[in-house]
Amino acid sequence: MARPMQVSRYWRHFREKYRLIGGKCENGHVHFPKRSICPVCGSRNVEEIELSGKGKVISWTIVRNPPSGFEYYKPFPLALIELEEGPVVLAQLTDVDPEEIDFGMEVEVVTKKIREFEEDGIILYGYKFRPPVR
Amino acid sequence: MRKAVIIGAGMTPVGEHWKLGLRDLAVEALLNAMDDAGIDRVDSLYVGNMVSGPFVEQENLGALIADWAGLGNIPAVKIEAACASGGAAVQEGVKAVLSGLEDVVAVVGVEKMTDAWPSDATRYLAYAADAEWELFHGASFVALNALIMRYYMKAYGYTEEDLALFAVNAHANGAKNPYAMFKRPIKVETVLKSPYVADPLKLFDASPVCDGAASVIITTPEKAEELGVPKEKWVEVAGMGRAIDTISLASREDLLTLKAAKVAAERAYKMAGVEAKDIDFFEVHDAFTVMAALSLEALGAAKKGEGAKLAKEGQIAIDADYPIQTMGGLKARGHPVGATGVYQTVEAVLQLRGEAPSQVPDAEIGLTQNIGGTGSNITVNVFRRV
Ligand SMILES: [Zn+2]
């Protein structure tokens, strides 16, 4: 794959990807990532909200044939997680035995390396989810 | 309002065409369709294609294909709506004819996928997902559909075996189609024994990476008469609908409702003046077995949660009440992504002309449903025998 010289492309989302910044409209609808127009009511009065990063698994899969760039990690679990504030987020699960993943499993956010490009390429970080560390 | 009829249909076999490139496939299908209609010129060309740029480093497909098909200085453009590009291109062609701006329109759907390395192909197909919030996390298209599949099975108590029935039905019909990629019947065990690609989704729950092109010629009944195309060849485009849903799965209001298909179908049924029960066969977008189930529900052939029940009860076979995938569907015919909607159209035309290799008895009205993304961009077309 061609080397992406696109630092800015990834950088512009670092707040969402490092801190789970979502949006909350004047009518209280919460969404992630933040949009300028509320997807529920269409309000343009949307404020930033930092999500707690706690949620539960609503569906999951084990990715065995990933897109190029993710070969190193295969197989890896990928899940839809419903956050306690309401929005659903797609992310990899980490620090978990694939056999133990189940519907409703509680998870919390953690910042991890998502992907590495060639030798002098950039390294991407972002959120993954894991069973809570108590 | 003007009416639109399809007067010519053509395709190439679906498969791994090592010796043919994108332009060869497209031109072959297009000329087959023009020969079928008995014409040698068209007013314009609409090309359905999804990802020719990454796959073969070629965009500007309108110019490429019209040029190499010898069509002269006509208007020609590519239409892209992910895997629904073909269905959308047919609709753009019909709209041009209905508007009165163009009288004879060619549509060709083409995709050349096997020139790419498999993991790159997986990446390019995921371009139909949300790049920043899905592909960024390593989501393949198969993985996103696997998330839906697991959720569907849990919600309604279906098993992997139940969903495998859709693949079995597709292969049974594809076995008779000379243009299909897989011309062999399979058993439920074949599906269950195939390796997991993204659990619980197995290799045989999914359509193959392949190459192919299909084409139709659209005009008005008046023009068809003037061109001397025999009436037995005409198939009316009776209804069309198209709608979008959230591009990313996580934003979906209900993971188990193909809302875009529902809205698109309502529009198409209304325009055609028909209901789901009037449809004699459904060519649904079974890129993954669970999508066939969800599609039947969204199109009104089954109640919510009962799409897979239709397969279990034997209702989807050629001679049953809701025949689907009459020539193999995406699963067995093959799914050259941007071409698929046009293949479905060609197959509907053959059924309604009574020329299909596994013919639905007395088919009068057929429906094609073409899904882009994980249900984010969907076209539904209704065709009627003239
Ligand atoms: Zn709102």
Side-chain angles (χ1 to χ4, degrees):
Chain A
M1 212 208 136
R3 181 176 305 158
M5 298 300 287
Q6 306 179 62
V7 175
S8 59
R9 182 181 150 203
Y10 297 108
W11 186 244
R12 69 176 72 107
H13 291 298
F14 83 97
R15 295 175 70 255
E16 287 97 329
K17 282 174 180 164
Y18 293 1
R19 283 178 49 211
L20 280 186
I21 302 293
K24 186 177 185 178
C25 81
E26 58 190 332
N27 297 313
H29 303 127
V30 181
H31 57 270
F32 176 85
K34 181 178 178 286
R35 302 180 182 213
S36 50
I37 300 166
C38 173
V40 178
C41 69
S43 164
R44 297 193 185 190
N45 191 357
V46 178
E47 283 180 356
E48 280 187 4
I49 174 175
E50 186 168 344
L51 300 163
S52 68
K54 292 189 197 317
K56 52 184 204 281
V57 171
I58 59 173
S59 192
W60 76 99
T61 184
I62 309 296
V63 184
R64 296 174 191 276
N65 293 56
S68 52
F70 290 88
E71 292 93 340
Y72 177 81
Y73 301 96
K74 79 174 184 181
F76 58 84
L78 186 77
L80 286 169
I81 296 133
E82 188 176 353
L83 300 174
E84 61 181 12
E85 293 89 349
V88 175
V89 58
L90 176 88
Q92 289 183 28
L93 297 179
T94 184
D95 306 318
V96 62
D97 176 355
E99 296 295 314
E100 282 171 11
I101 306 170
D102 203 356
F103 296 101
M105 185 176 84
E106 287 184 20
V107 288
E108 66 180 15
V109 76
V110 57
T111 300
K112 289 266 187 178
K113 184 164 78 182
I114 301 286
R115 187 181 166 195
E116 200 172 287
F117 292 89
E118 294 90 44
E119 248 172 79
D120 51 351
I122 53 177
I123 300 173
L124 302 181
Y125 292 89
Y127 50 79
K128 292 189 184 180
F129 285 77
R130 66 179 177 198
V133 176
R134 298 184 201 278
Chain B
M1 189 165 121
R2 306 214 319 172
K3 282 195 168 182
V5 289
I6 294 177
I7 54 166
M11 53 186 165
T12 71
V14 178
E16 297 179 342
H17 289 287
W18 305 114
K19 289 184 177 171
L20 299 174
L22 181 145
R23 79 182 72 192
D24 307 314
L25 292 164
V27 169
E28 185 183 325
L30 178 53
L31 295 184
N32 284 345
M34 290 174 70
D35 289 349
D36 184 44
I39 58 170
D40 56 12
R41 55 160 292 279
V42 295
D43 295 335
S44 72
L45 171 70
Y46 293 86
V47 181
N49 172 269
M50 174 175 159
V51 265
S52 62
F55 268 114
V56 293
E57 300 186 319
Q58 181 71 63
E59 295 293 0
N60 200 4
L61 296 189
L64 175 82
I65 295 163
D67 175 7
W68 281 68
L71 298 182
N73 306 107
I74 60 165
V77 291
K78 161 171 165 170
I79 305 294
E80 187 268 311
C83 299
S85 299
V90 170
Q91 293 189 344
E92 294 309 306
V94 172
K95 281 155 75 176
V97 167
L98 293 182
S99 76
L101 276 174
E102 293 162 6
D103 285 333
V104 185
V105 167
V107 176
V108 62
V110 62
E111 205 78 56
K112 174 74 197 173
M113 303 165 74
T114 65
D115 285 354
W117 192 252
S119 65
D120 283 335
T122 301
R123 165 161 291 271
Y124 304 152
L125 292 172
Y127 289 176
D130 189 315
E132 303 297 345
W133 310 103
E134 295 185 319
L135 179 54
F136 177 90
H137 297 282
S140 65
F141 233 75
V142 184
L144 294 170
N145 280 275
L147 292 168
I148 299 176
M149 181 174 169
R150 192 187 295 276
Y151 199 71
Y152 183 79
M153 286 162 49
K154 167 77 171 172
Y156 305 116
Y158 290 118
T159 61
E160 294 179 29
E161 204 169 344
D162 296 335
L163 289 175
L165 294 170
F166 286 104
V168 172
N169 173 70
H171 275 258
N173 295 339
K176 295 178 187 158
N177 176 8
Y179 293 89
M181 181 159 178
F182 302 124
K183 291 184 273 287
R184 60 170 192 275
I186 58 165
K187 294 178 173 161
V188 167
E189 295 74 55
T190 322
V191 183
L192 297 180
K193 279 181 187 160
S194 66
Y196 284 109
V197 187
D199 323 28
L201 200 156
K202 298 163 294 302
L203 189 65
F204 268 70
D205 284 304
S207 51
V209 166
C210 53
D211 312 320
S215 176
V216 290
I217 309 297
I218 305 161
T219 187
T220 61
E222 295 75 20
K223 189 74 185 177
E225 198 134 23
E226 191 188 315
L227 290 167
V229 183
K231 249 190 176 156
E232 304 87 72
K233 286 218 149 142
W234 303 8
V235 166
E236 185 194 350
V237 186
M240 311 193 298
R242 183 155 92 219
I244 68 113
D245 202 342
T246 65
I247 187 161
S248 73
L249 205 52
S251 307
R252 207 67 53 85
E253 196 184 320
D254 173 6
L255 277 180
L256 300 181
T257 300
L258 290 176
K259 188 80 182 288
K262 235 178 148 149
V263 173
E266 274 161 20
R267 288 179 186 159
Y269 287 150
K270 192 175 172 208
M271 182 172 164
V274 299
E275 296 173 44
K277 65 171 172 50
D278 303 321
I279 306 292
D280 295 315
F281 62 92
F282 296 81
E283 296 301 332
V284 303
H285 191 98
D286 62 335
F288 305 96
T289 48
V290 66
M291 278 297 150
L294 288 177
S295 297
L296 287 170
E297 295 171 21
L299 297 171
K303 286 190 192 132
K304 190 168 159 64
E306 296 189 358
K309 204 172 145 198
L310 229 50
K312 282 177 86 171
E313 290 172 349
Q315 301 274 350
I316 60 171
I318 286 284
D319 53 359
D321 282 350
Y322 298 95
I324 70 168
Q325 322 307 69
T326 63
M327 289 176 70
L330 287 60
K331 175 69 191 79
R333 175 236 295 129
H335 180 31
V337 288
T340 289
V342 188
Y343 271 100
Q344 293 176 321
T345 308
V346 170
E347 290 163 358
V349 166
L350 295 180
Q351 282 289 353
L352 295 170
R353 282 186 191 168
E355 296 170 2
S358 42
Q359 182 67 41
V360 174
D362 304 317
E364 296 261 356
I365 302 171
L367 177 149
T368 62
Q369 174 240 24
N370 195 193
I371 304 181
T374 48
S376 58
N377 207 334
I378 302 185
T379 69
V380 173
N381 294 329
V382 174
F383 302 96
R384 189 188 276 123
R385 190 161 81 193
V386 174

